[in-house]
Amino acid sequence: METFLNISAVYGVYLSISVFVIGMSWRTYQWATTPKSPVRLGMFPKPKTGAGRVLKMLKDTLIAPQSARIEPLMWAFAFAIHVAALGAFIGHGRLLHEFTPLVTWLGEDGMNTFAAWSGGTAGIVMLAAVVFWIARRTFGPFKQLSVPEDYLLLALLFGVIIMGDHMRFVGTIHAATYREWFQSLLVFKPEIPAEILGSSTGWSLGAHMLFTDLFLIYFPFSKLVHAVGAFSANLVRSE
Amino acid sequence: METQQMTTLVGVLDQKMNRQLKQYLDICARCAICKDACHQYVATQDFKYLPARRAELIRQIYKKYFTKTGEFVPALYEARDPDENLLDELYESTYACTGCRRCMYYCPFSIDTAWILSVAKAILIAAGKGNEMLGQLADAALFKSDNFEMFKDIIVDGFKDIEQQVKGLTGDPDAEIPVDKQGADILYVALAGAHSILPAAVIFHEAKVSWTLSYFEAANYGYFFGDAVKARKIADRFMDEAKRLGVKEVVITECGHAYRVAEIFHEAWSGEKHPFKVRHILEVIDEYITDGRIKVRPDAIKEPVTYHDPCQIGRNGGIFEQPRNIVRALASDFRDMTPNREQQWCCGGGGGLVAISEMDEFRIKSGTIKAEQIKATGARIIASPCENCRLQMEGLNDSMELGIEVKAIMDLVLEAMPLPGSFAKDASTD
Amino acid sequence: MSEEMKADLELDLKGLLCPMPMVKVSQNIASVAVGGTIRAVATDPGSMADIPAWAKSTGNELISAEKIDGEFVFMVKRLK
Ligand code: HEM
Ligand code: SF4
Ligand code: SF4
């Protein structure tokens, strides 16, 4: 297990974060340096001021009210997974540093209960949404539109989520232990705590991280670059 | 197909590449939210008309030739060469699109599928697979300006016929259709047909404005064909005329794509700012009515009237209220369709489709939703500015027996104006 | 003179608004053989410039374009 964890939870993390950061920067740089279309591609009605345009862009990107109107169910799942993913991302911040103000407020036990509930909810919402997406893609009337890339991403995402959920619902290791591991990565003195190595949950962490690494490495080369591109493309709408 | 040609086609994509296009090709999530936005997909459930699928064909070339991952693992993206198969599929998907951009309205990333398809048209043209009919119509328009001396007298003769009718309607023996008038305030660009000249001439006469009529029509088949150079040259015909005459504004007739070409595309194509304003005739008429420069009888039309927003004038041109103001000013029972304005359904007649006979059956079928919408209003008259929309809605009226009358807004205005020449007619019908 | 010639195809384009008369002639040219003729009658004055321009730019032959009793009558010969 140690070799596996070294690959996925140590070197893999360094590699994937580097590829992700460099890849996304390169992507953004490429977009920024490609000349703009001379034709204005906006549609009407459009805000008159620059601030109005930015506000509309944020609304269109973060809430996508038009998409909600045309396919409410799809919108609900898409909105749910993005928000849950954001929630989970923030939750992972506990690995960097304990959320001290929250702990002071809720108490040690309160914090653990809160984390269990919020993390658990996010985990279930994401799982449900991914299953919905896979089903919609596979059985929907437009399934021919899907290409292998779509399934690869969903499979990786499914892996990340299912293993994360496994760690949360089945595993017995607490955030403090994971924090030890993560902190050691941050100071470039990687070390995997004995508690993890000694528990079968170690395999879950290994798998969770393997899927995450692959997901992050593939991210900049996939349609997921919409995470950045959505903002500028939606700005063009009111140009 | 020969590699030589494929290289050329990839070159076309490279040449047309810009930031927006690149982003659109990179970020589409293939979520298919756009599918229910497209009247053609909804009416046929045919995969080739799904907006994201149309764009996907260009994306497949892009992935293979413009991204490393697509070059090395083409299977992941179904990346492929612009070969005969792809081009045939592309032709069907591309020339069917009306360019209504309803898919863009609903897409979470506002991906402009019609813009991607304008590049698809450039690729098809380079492969010798541009739509023949649209190409011929574009060439005919250019032939007229390139051999202008051959046509000038014929064109002016046509205007003289219409001038007689203007004199009759206005009761003014000096009423005229000015052509080539240096220093006029307005250059009005109509279609070749009398129907787009006569009402405007009467309205300009009654509003006592200084105007002149362009020799050339505003319709632009170069734009539908997808050749930006030809499209620009076709628009140059009256843009150059406007510069030469020193007018303050160019007013485009009701036609939808012509307005968008003049107002939005032409400056980008020519790379220079117009030294004049470009406005749509309905903006101008609305202003004349508001300012009291022309009069319309408030209840000239008592039957229920509805209004269809042409995509290129509404969603893509920004003119929503002026035509409604005009219709409300002269009709006592105005009813909007649902949905309307920026969410309005495309009628199915745009993109030059009315000129492509192979598409007639498909085009009418794609108008099913529009027909339902019209029926639901219970209106007897449908007013709409765009020529293509009106042709389509007349087609719908015949094939689906809607029992409506399809009218241009200018014609309604003309009917509602208390003109000396139309008194006799009023007296007999009242 | 066009009265005497018998056309292979007669097109009634009366009431059609420009550019539809030109579009119809163009759509129908393929249905006559090379060397065959179309006689078209339109009422929109714009067709007097449109149809000849179409014929010349597509390499077909315009045999005649005349105004007869307020109608516009064209004879077009398919050359290719
Ligand atoms: C902020 C604006 C964003 C919008 C409007 C947006 C919209 C969408 C939509 C509509 C889908 C549907 C995909 C499908 O049907 O498969 C999707 C998928 C996805 N998005 Fe986003 N997204 C945004 C930002 C982000 C960000 C910031 C991330 C991650 C960092 C992200 C990650 C994902 C993932 C992982 C998927 C699933 C991939 C898949 O379906 O294969 N998105 N997004
Ligand atoms: S709605 Fe937009 S992102 Fe989704 S498939 Fe259609 S074009 Fe792509
Ligand atoms: S622009 Fe209109 S016709 Fe074309 S794909 Fe989009 S919705 Fe369909």
Side-chain angles (χ1 to χ4, degrees):
Chain A
M1 177 185 340
E2 192 164 357
T3 329
F4 179 41
L5 279 174
N6 271 332
I7 292 173
S8 78
V10 177
Y11 301 111
V13 176
Y14 289 135
L15 178 70
S16 63
I17 291 180
S18 315
V19 172
F20 176 78
V21 171
I22 295 170
M24 286 311 283
S25 314
W26 171 242
R27 239 344 135 89
T28 313
Y29 172 80
Q30 266 187 326
W31 285 335
T33 51
T34 309
K36 278 189 70 154
S37 143
V39 176
R40 281 174 289 139
L41 299 181
M43 56 173 29
F44 297 87
K46 56 175 109 162
K48 295 199 173 48
T49 61
R53 282 184 58 198
V54 172
L55 278 178
K56 175 160 171 52
M57 176 275 280
L58 288 175
K59 188 171 144 205
D60 287 342
T61 312
L62 301 177
I63 306 177
Q66 286 80 233
S67 314
R69 212 169 298 129
I70 199 163
E71 201 182 342
L73 188 65
M74 171 60 187
W75 177 87
F77 276 104
F79 192 73
I81 198 174
H82 284 88
V83 169
L86 185 69
F89 183 76
I90 293 171
H92 284 70
R94 261 186 109 193
L95 295 176
L96 287 175
H97 195 281
E98 178 59 288
F99 298 157
T100 327
L102 266 184
V103 177
T104 334
W105 185 45
L106 296 168
E108 192 74 37
D109 282 352
M111 180 65 204
N112 280 336
T113 320
F114 172 72
W117 275 101
S118 57
T121 310
I124 289 169
V125 168
M126 285 193 287
L127 188 61
V130 166
V131 170
F132 170 79
W133 274 357
I134 294 174
R136 182 176 174 275
R137 232 178 231 304
T138 317
F139 306 111
F142 56 90
K143 59 172 175 290
Q144 302 165 79
L145 186 65
S146 306
V147 306
E149 172 190 14
D150 302 322
Y151 292 107
L152 175 63
L153 284 170
L154 286 169
L156 291 175
L157 202 55
F158 183 79
V160 172
I161 295 168
I162 200 94
M163 293 324 293
D165 283 353
H166 185 268
M167 285 156 70
R168 165 153 311 278
F169 295 118
V170 183
T172 49
I173 297 175
H174 283 293
T177 319
Y178 291 128
R179 193 179 309 130
E180 242 177 81
W181 152 70
F182 204 72
Q183 296 278 359
S184 77
L185 290 180
L186 286 180
V187 295
F188 298 102
K189 290 200 185 91
E191 202 174 330
I192 296 163
E195 193 188 339
I196 296 179
L197 285 173
S199 148
S200 62
T201 310
W203 289 105
S204 316
L205 175 69
H208 182 63
M209 291 318 296
L210 182 66
F211 286 123
T212 308
D213 295 343
L214 293 174
F215 186 73
L216 286 181
I217 289 171
Y218 186 44
F219 199 108
F221 308 100
S222 73
K223 65 181 190 183
L224 297 183
V225 293
H226 74 242
V228 174
F231 292 87
S232 45
N234 275 326
L235 194 59
V236 169
R237 184 193 186 104
S238 52
E239 154 169 288
Chain B
M1 191 190 333
E2 294 185 24
T3 3
Q4 177 62 39
Q5 186 180 1
M6 287 205 279
T7 318
T8 312
L9 300 185
V10 172
V12 174
L13 183 51
D14 191 31
Q15 203 193 331
K16 295 273 168 186
M17 191 56 71
N18 56 50
R19 185 185 306 166
Q20 283 88 339
L21 179 67
K22 198 169 176 58
Q23 282 199 326
Y24 293 157
L25 294 175
D26 281 332
I27 68 180
C28 170
R30 280 178 294 271
C31 64
I33 283 177
C34 49
K35 66 185 184 309
D36 299 322
C38 181
H39 58 290
Q40 296 178 341
Y41 180 74
V42 173
T44 61
Q45 296 293 313
D46 188 336
F47 182 53
K48 64 173 174 279
Y49 301 127
L50 199 159
R53 171 60 187 181
R54 308 184 203 230
E56 191 68 18
L57 295 166
I58 295 298
R59 188 169 294 111
Q60 290 173 339
I61 309 174
Y62 169 77
K63 285 288 181 189
K64 175 139 186 190
Y65 288 94
F66 296 81
T67 68
K68 287 280 171 246
T69 35
E71 190 184 331
F72 293 123
V73 205
L76 200 51
Y77 307 94
E78 294 179 359
R80 55 179 174 146
D81 288 320
D83 58 12
E84 292 292 336
N85 287 337
L86 185 140
L87 292 174
D88 289 346
E89 271 182 72
L90 191 63
Y91 178 87
E92 296 223 3
S93 292
T94 299
Y95 277 106
C97 171
T98 60
C100 71
R101 302 210 301 169
R102 201 169 185 268
C103 47
M104 174 175 181
Y105 179 81
Y106 289 101
C107 169
F109 310 140
S110 309
I111 290 178
D112 186 351
T113 303
W115 178 246
I116 301 176
L117 295 183
S118 71
V119 177
K121 286 184 180 178
I123 291 176
L124 286 165
I125 292 170
K129 288 176 187 282
N131 180 279
E132 207 178 330
M133 180 64 51
L134 299 177
Q136 282 186 11
L137 294 172
D139 289 343
L142 288 173
F143 189 86
K144 249 198 309 197
S145 51
D146 291 345
N147 301 277
F148 185 53
E149 287 312 314
M150 190 192 287
F151 293 101
K152 188 171 171 181
D153 294 343
I154 302 173
I155 294 173
V156 173
D157 274 355
F159 294 164
K160 289 287 166 221
D161 284 351
I162 306 168
E163 195 172 80
Q164 288 310 317
Q165 292 173 273
V166 179
K167 289 186 206 291
L169 280 169
T170 56
D172 175 359
D174 297 328
E176 55 169 357
I177 293 186
V179 187
D180 219 355
K181 193 164 106 190
Q182 194 70 34
D185 288 343
I186 289 175
L187 175 73
Y188 176 62
V189 192
L191 298 178
H195 63 295
S196 71
I197 300 174
L198 176 64
V202 172
I203 291 165
F204 286 136
H205 178 270
E206 295 299 296
K208 301 189 178 55
V209 288
S210 138
W211 72 293
T212 183
L213 177 63
S214 171
Y215 286 116
F216 299 105
E217 74 279 2
N220 195 324
Y221 280 93
Y223 167 72
F224 291 143
F225 180 53
D227 184 326
V229 174
K230 284 185 181 164
R232 180 203 156 169
K233 282 193 189 149
I234 292 173
D236 276 349
R237 299 180 309 167
F238 55 81
M239 291 299 185
D240 290 347
E241 196 180 6
K243 269 191 254 171
R244 183 167 54 79
L245 299 177
V247 298
K248 296 201 185 81
E249 61 180 325
V250 167
V251 172
I252 304 289
T253 192
E254 295 201 356
C255 177
H257 76 284
Y259 172 66
R260 186 148 169 253
V261 163
E263 162 66 9
I264 297 185
F265 287 96
H266 189 261
E267 281 189 345
W269 285 337
S270 63
E272 46 185 276
K273 278 201 89 59
H274 296 145
F276 41 74
K277 272 202 295 191
V278 173
R279 283 207 291 171
H280 189 260
I281 182 76
L282 296 184
E283 294 179 85
V284 176
I285 296 178
D286 178 39
E287 191 182 281
Y288 293 165
I289 295 178
T290 315
D291 296 352
R293 297 181 71 168
I294 60 168
K295 298 256 172 311
V296 288
R297 286 174 292 123
D299 51 0
I301 290 157
K302 297 192 180 63
E303 285 174 301
V305 187
T306 186
Y307 174 71
H308 165 72
D309 289 276
C311 307
Q312 308 304 352
I313 289 173
R315 187 160 45 236
N316 300 331
I319 297 174
F320 297 108
E321 301 312 322
Q322 296 89 333
R324 288 182 168 78
N325 295 343
I326 298 171
V327 175
R328 282 206 185 92
L330 53 80
S332 43
D333 183 358
F334 173 72
R335 306 170 178 189
D336 242 323
M337 276 185 253
T338 5
N340 55 54
R341 295 182 172 81
E342 66 272 20
Q343 289 172 26
Q344 167 275 129
W345 279 102
C346 176
C347 66
L353 262 59
V354 291
I356 308 175
S357 50
E358 307 89 88
M359 290 200 189
D360 282 351
E361 202 184 316
F362 160 73
R363 168 166 62 82
I364 294 297
K365 187 168 183 203
S366 77
T368 322
I369 308 171
K370 190 89 252 165
E372 295 300 324
Q373 259 189 305
I374 298 172
K375 256 193 244 165
T377 62
R380 308 271 25 111
I381 297 176
I382 176 146
S384 190
C386 175
E387 184 91 9
N388 287 326
C389 297
R390 286 199 303 270
L391 283 167
Q392 166 76 348
M393 289 187 293
E394 267 160 19
L396 296 176
N397 193 20
D398 292 343
S399 65
M400 304 188 196
E401 294 170 4
L402 302 175
I404 46 160
E405 226 186 310
V406 184
K407 289 274 198 176
I409 312 273
M410 284 199 289
D411 285 338
L412 294 178
V413 174
L414 198 60
E415 280 174 38
M417 282 168 81
L419 295 168
S422 58
F423 280 158
K425 193 180 91 192
D426 284 346
S428 62
T429 48
D430 276 353
Chain C
M1 71 157 202
S2 53
E3 302 300 294
E4 297 135 38
M5 271 179 77
K6 182 90 185 71
D8 297 302
L9 181 67
E10 294 276 339
L11 285 181
D12 177 3
L13 309 174
K14 288 177 222 154
L16 288 185
L17 307 174
C18 276
M20 289 322 279
M22 165 173 60
V23 170
K24 290 288 171 205
V25 173
S26 184
Q27 281 175 355
N28 282 288
I29 193 80
S31 55
V32 298
V34 173
T37 49
I38 293 184
R39 180 172 181 275
V41 183
T43 46
D44 195 318
S47 57
M48 275 305 267
D50 273 6
I51 291 178
W54 168 82
K56 297 218 165 73
S57 68
T58 50
N60 290 295
E61 187 186 339
L62 178 76
I63 299 173
S64 65
E66 294 165 302
K67 187 170 170 187
I68 301 170
D69 301 335
E71 291 177 349
F72 306 95
V73 183
F74 305 90
M75 280 295 277
V76 178
K77 184 171 176 186
R78 180 174 172 194
L79 288 189
K80 52 177 192 187

